[in-house]
Amino acid sequence: MSATSASITFSRRNFLRTSSLASGGLLIGFNLFTACKSDVKPPIDLAELNYKDFNAFIKIAKNGAVTIFSPNPEIGQGVKTAMPMIIAEELDVAWDKVLVEQGVLDTENYTRQVAGGSQSIRFSWDALRQTGATAKQMLVNAAAAKWGVDASELSVSEGVITNAAGKTLGYGDVVDAAAKLEIPENVVLKEPKDYKIIGTDQVNVDIDKIITGKPLFGLDYKVDGMVYAAVLRPPAFGQELESYDATEAKTMPGVIDVIKIGEKAKALLGKEEINWTAQLSPSEKVVVIAKTTWDAFKAKKAIKAQWKDTSTLESTEYQDKKLNDLLDGKEFTTLREDGDVNKAFAQADNVLERTYESPFLPHNCMEPMNFFAHVTDKKIHLVGPIQTPEDAANTVAELLGRDVKDIHLEMTRQGGGFGRRLYGDFVYEAAEIADAIRKPVKMVSSREDDMTTGVYRPAIKYRIKAAIKGGKLTGYQLKEAAINGNMYGLIPNFFPAGAVENYRVDVANYESNITTGAWRAPYTNFLAYAEQSFFDEIAEAMDMDKVQLRLDLLEKVKGTTDERIQYNPERLQAVLKMAVDKSGWGKAPEGTYQGVVAYYCHNSHVAEVADVQIENGMPVVKKVTCVVDCGIVINPLGAKNQIVGGVIDGVGHAMYGQFGFKDGVPSSNNYDTYRLIRMNEAPVVDAYMIQNELSPTGLGEPALPPAGGAVANALRAATGKRIYKQPFMEDLDFWRVEEKEIIG
């Protein structure tokens, strides 16, 4: 849906208002709905839409102060700043006069309180604007009634209503009267040219608290009488607790008790109604309750536990063989098939086939997993960092046999999520501990706990095959072999779907006892590198310019009537052309080698160009030029931060991220053995955004997947060598080149 001015029709029964706030004032919310399709034109009858999203709230006090509640979890993606900006724009208040508060879990007035998939702004854009515009119209109507004039005669600017005679009223002057009025059925949204807040650089609303160390994060939360818990989990995947001796641990300073949990969680395993984010463990666990986290951590090491093997203790070699067997086998699920791929390969002049592989990856959130819980007969109080608070509350209710209405869940700011905090295993541990001891308790994991007993990006292999006949790409087949599955959903309908007449996507997986799940930019974080690297090989095989190949393929998709296609070929072409222009593609100075990609994921279109130089015989990523089309940019400053962070994260994990298993035990347990990109290795990122008036899409994740492909293609230009396995720098000798070997 375009962001242009619109007359919006409202359904009274779906608009919530109340003036019964303890502080006095007006509280307004509007049910958000699934984002409109781009061809839907206003006016919109909201009563006919599917109300499955959440409510946004505005609080206006009698003194004119405006508080805007941000209902979605804040994990660093900036929604706690951007979502209130949208409401404030249509409400027409001065941004520097707005207070922002984190909403709590409220399933009656909010839905889709989720941080994941870069969808928060996309899903909420239209309804957040309508919320602000409706509140503004109610205030204007109240002022008009007070003055005895028509509302159309009044103007509003930064919370001040003015009539034709020049008299003014502040929002606080009419807030009580506004609360008693009928909800207007038609409101007019602003034209983008009239925006005063949207499109301006705004600092993070929490920045002062962050830099001064004020309590914001889950680890900061404390209450009187709170104790701390450390959980001893199985040391290897495929093991369960057999017995334990806590005699020594119980005598250590600060230790209150040592208990066992897990029976309640095991009882829920296999139940169909348990949501996909549960990640419940099949093993019982030993828990140390202590006066401090340090006391709990020390005592946990003193516990003598016996573990029994209950399934295969997998090693990286075992997993590698399993994935190869899947690729070589015939048991695949076909997700999309166009034309006749087998015929295209049989008739081809040239068939190109490559296999790409990636390892498991941990999430490495700076803030380790933690959660607060206090269980009483009357209430369950939960506080902490979770990306899926509603799922967590529902599962805790099932776990403890309680009504979900008994649960009060507060969300803290999160020190990183990247998909790890979609899964509530640490929440359920805290809840089960609190239920057992009936004291307020904070469960805290160490870095080692996080890295060795967490949820990982699954190891994956892709086999991609292309048919070339008469100088044209006539066939394309993508096979995926993943541990615990990976590529279900919309991925088969991303580029190059629709651009190749004969096209097929097949997937296969084997079930592992290692817990896997979403990792930043799920599905595409590795696929983008594999496909975009393969496109360069196709261009080389066809003796064709790499940029032109992509532009030509996208040209074939223009005007398609295939509703399965998710990307927009014109928008993808536009970001690619701008990236080529801004990066000086093909004009790099001597000694600088470039790689280019164009990719669509999480509803946004991205193109990147990486610049690589050889220093002391080793390749160094010096710069990445990134161009993004994500529709209207709410907060350019926050958007650029997301782009820069996503690119550096993508480069770092593609170059260095390595993680495996030996007999079910992770190969690394802390940063001394797990390689992350270092500050002096981070490239300069030049971020650009296409300016348009289209509704906003995702931005927290789309810049990450293309980065690996851009770097891989630049490394090929610099060294003459192709990479088929991440991390790229695993074999340093492979990359150490002499000056004479550089082919340019």
Side-chain angles (χ1 to χ4, degrees):
M1 178 178 173
S2 172
T4 56
S5 177
S7 174
I8 304 296
T9 301
F10 287 86
S11 170
R12 285 192 181 93
R13 69 175 179 271
N14 290 316
F15 200 94
L16 172 70
R17 62 182 171 87
T18 177
S19 59
S20 59
L21 297 176
S23 59
L26 176 66
L27 184 67
I28 293 181
F30 188 76
N31 282 323
L32 291 158
F33 51 87
T34 302
C36 300
K37 298 293 184 182
S38 59
D39 59 349
V40 176
K41 305 298 181 184
I44 303 169
D45 183 3
L46 300 181
E48 295 180 2
L49 297 175
N50 186 17
Y51 290 89
K52 290 185 177 178
D53 297 287
F54 55 88
N55 289 17
F57 291 100
I58 304 164
K59 177 179 172 182
I60 303 174
K62 291 181 180 179
N63 65 0
V66 176
T67 300
I68 298 177
F69 293 89
S70 181
N72 275 30
E74 173 59 66
I75 56 174
Q77 81 281 42
V79 294
K80 193 175 177 182
T81 303
M83 294 177 111
M85 284 176 68
I86 299 169
I87 297 174
E89 181 67 74
E90 294 291 350
L91 182 61
D92 214 332
V93 293
W95 178 247
D96 60 1
K97 305 300 184 195
V98 171
L99 300 175
V100 176
E101 293 186 11
Q102 176 67 59
V104 301
L105 176 64
D106 183 348
T107 56
E108 291 187 9
N109 295 316
Y110 304 145
T111 60
R112 204 192 179 277
Q113 285 183 274
V114 174
S118 300
Q119 299 298 299
S120 295
I121 296 297
R122 174 175 173 254
F123 277 137
S124 62
W125 166 248
D126 288 298
L128 286 175
R129 288 190 299 152
Q130 292 154 6
T131 298
T134 301
K136 171 184 170 182
Q137 189 61 55
M138 293 177 70
L139 293 158
V140 168
N141 291 348
K146 187 169 185 176
W147 280 322
V149 299
D150 192 272
S152 63
E153 300 176 19
L154 308 183
S155 62
V156 180
S157 178
E158 298 190 341
V160 178
I161 306 166
T162 305
N163 65 18
K167 294 182 179 180
T168 62
L169 287 169
Y171 280 174
D173 298 325
V174 295
V175 66
D176 280 347
K180 300 172 184 176
L181 297 179
E182 290 291 326
I183 305 299
E185 295 197 8
N186 293 280
V187 297
V188 176
L189 303 178
K190 285 185 177 181
E191 293 274 4
K193 65 180 178 62
D194 297 323
Y195 289 161
K196 299 176 183 177
I197 298 174
I198 292 175
T200 64
D201 289 341
Q202 302 298 338
V203 297
N204 188 314
V205 294
D206 286 334
I207 191 64
D208 289 340
K209 293 180 180 178
I210 291 172
I211 62 177
T212 57
K214 295 294 192 301
L216 279 171
F217 299 90
L219 283 174
D220 298 327
Y221 187 81
K222 296 178 181 179
V223 299
D224 291 341
M226 187 177 82
V227 296
Y228 295 84
V231 180
L232 180 63
R233 306 174 182 91
F237 288 90
Q239 290 184 330
E240 294 183 19
L241 180 66
E242 186 171 45
S243 63
Y244 71 95
D245 180 356
T247 304
E248 181 183 352
K250 288 181 178 181
T251 66
M252 296 179 69
V255 174
I256 299 169
D257 200 1
V258 177
I259 65 172
K260 184 173 68 172
I261 64 167
E263 290 183 2
K264 294 180 183 294
K266 288 181 70 174
L268 290 186
L269 287 173
K271 282 195 173 184
E272 293 183 2
E273 63 267 25
I274 297 302
N275 62 73
W276 64 276
T277 65
Q279 288 288 12
L280 296 168
S281 170
S283 176
E284 294 177 329
K285 304 163 189 176
V286 185
V287 181
V288 176
I289 312 298
K291 294 179 180 179
T292 69
T293 302
W294 184 238
D295 291 336
F297 283 179
K298 287 194 297 182
K300 187 179 71 169
K301 293 180 179 179
I303 294 173
K304 299 176 177 62
Q306 299 296 320
W307 307 91
K308 58 183 178 181
D309 297 346
T310 57
S311 58
T312 302
L313 303 183
E314 297 180 12
S315 295
T316 299
E317 296 77 13
Y318 172 89
Q319 296 156 354
D320 189 67
K321 182 180 184 304
K322 282 282 191 178
L323 293 177
N324 285 334
D325 289 345
L326 287 174
L327 286 177
D328 295 334
K330 297 181 180 180
E331 297 299 320
F332 278 85
T333 298
T334 298
L335 300 184
R336 176 171 174 143
E337 184 169 17
D338 301 337
D340 190 333
V341 171
N342 292 335
K343 183 177 180 181
F345 289 132
Q347 297 179 348
D349 300 329
N350 183 16
V351 174
L352 192 66
E353 182 177 283
R354 298 289 184 265
T355 300
Y356 302 83
E357 54 186 291
S358 69
F360 285 91
L361 286 181
H363 292 82
N364 294 306
C365 302
M366 286 301 293
E367 178 192 22
M369 300 306 107
N370 68 92
F371 224 78
F372 168 86
H374 187 198
V375 177
T376 67
D377 290 341
K378 293 183 178 180
K379 185 177 76 170
I380 299 173
H381 187 195
L382 303 173
V383 184
I386 181 69
Q387 292 179 238
T388 50
E390 184 175 355
D391 281 358
N394 289 335
T395 302
V396 168
E398 287 278 346
L399 183 76
L400 303 185
R402 298 284 290 269
D403 191 318
V404 72
K405 293 180 180 179
D406 293 345
I407 297 176
H408 175 73
L409 191 152
E410 300 175 36
M411 291 169 282
T412 61
R413 192 176 182 92
Q414 302 176 42
F418 315 118
R420 173 62 183 97
R421 287 186 162 99
L422 289 170
Y423 308 99
D425 48 301
F426 52 97
V427 182
Y428 315 135
E429 288 176 347
E432 193 169 353
I433 294 166
D435 187 50
I437 68 174
R438 292 299 173 116
K439 293 180 181 179
V441 60
K442 170 82 71 64
M443 191 292 297
V444 181
S445 288
S446 67
R447 174 63 58 198
E448 289 82 3
D449 293 332
D450 244 12
M451 197 171 286
T452 60
T453 62
V455 178
Y456 310 95
R457 184 187 79 171
I460 306 167
K461 290 193 178 188
Y462 290 114
R463 183 168 293 167
I464 314 178
K465 193 174 179 181
I468 301 170
K469 183 175 178 61
K472 296 181 179 180
L473 180 61
T474 58
Y476 187 94
Q477 182 181 16
L478 173 70
K479 281 187 174 183
E480 178 196 79
I483 294 175
N484 295 332
N486 176 61
M487 198 176 128
Y488 297 97
L490 302 176
I491 311 304
N493 302 312
F494 290 0
F495 182 69
V500 185
E501 182 179 358
N502 303 294
Y503 172 85
R504 190 166 76 207
V505 176
D506 298 319
V507 296
N509 74 90
Y510 86 86
E511 297 298 323
S512 168
N513 53 41
I514 295 170
T515 52
T516 61
W519 189 92
R520 189 175 186 180
Y523 314 123
T524 60
N525 50 54
F526 170 62
L527 175 61
Y529 145 67
E531 286 199 302
Q532 290 293 313
S533 183
F534 189 65
F535 272 120
D536 266 27
E537 289 213 56
I538 293 174
E540 292 169 6
M542 295 171 63
D543 193 22
M544 187 174 182
D545 180 82
K546 299 174 177 65
V547 172
Q548 196 59 50
L549 171 65
R550 291 168 169 86
L551 292 174
D552 289 352
L553 287 172
L554 288 166
E555 198 68 28
K556 294 181 179 181
V557 191
K558 290 182 178 179
T560 182
T561 58
D562 186 347
E563 294 183 354
R564 296 173 297 172
I565 300 297
Q566 299 298 309
Y567 63 95
N568 180 293
E570 290 87 355
R571 296 174 77 174
L572 199 50
Q573 282 183 331
V575 294
L576 177 56
K577 290 176 180 178
M578 182 181 283
V580 165
D581 176 60
K582 296 293 185 182
S583 67
W585 171 260
K587 304 173 185 176
E590 184 177 354
T592 297
Y593 307 89
Q594 295 183 308
V596 65
V597 301
Y599 202 70
Y600 167 89
C601 67
H602 295 86
N603 311 106
S604 293
H605 302 76
V606 182
E608 295 181 18
V609 175
D611 291 2
V612 166
Q613 296 175 4
I614 302 296
E615 296 180 354
N616 299 319
M618 296 296 292
V620 178
V621 184
K622 304 296 287 188
K623 186 177 79 170
V624 176
T625 303
C626 181
V627 178
V628 179
D629 181 351
C630 60
I632 286 179
V633 179
I634 310 302
N635 182 3
L637 177 62
K640 288 182 179 179
N641 289 338
Q642 289 297 304
I643 293 171
V644 172
V647 170
I648 293 175
D649 200 9
V651 171
H653 280 93
M655 292 284 283
Y656 308 111
Q658 178 62 287
F659 197 81
F661 292 85
K662 178 66 175 178
D663 297 329
V665 178
S667 59
S668 299
N669 67 6
N670 212 318
Y671 295 138
D672 59 335
T673 54
Y674 182 77
R675 180 79 156 86
L676 290 168
I677 191 170
R678 295 162 184 161
M679 291 184 69
N680 65 339
E681 295 166 336
V684 172
V685 180
D686 288 345
Y688 301 91
M689 288 161 281
I690 298 284
Q691 300 297 317
N692 57 43
E693 296 182 0
L694 299 172
S695 294
T697 53
L699 194 53
E701 293 164 298
L704 183 148
V711 170
N713 290 337
L715 289 171
R716 158 66 175 173
T719 67
K721 301 168 184 175
R722 274 282 166 203
I723 311 169
Y724 300 101
K725 184 178 181 179
Q726 288 186 350
F728 301 160
M729 300 295 284
E730 183 180 21
D731 186 351
L732 297 182
D733 291 335
F734 178 80
W735 290 114
R736 194 168 295 282
V737 295
E738 299 294 335
E739 191 72 25
K740 63 183 180 181
E741 294 179 349
I742 300 173
I743 64 170

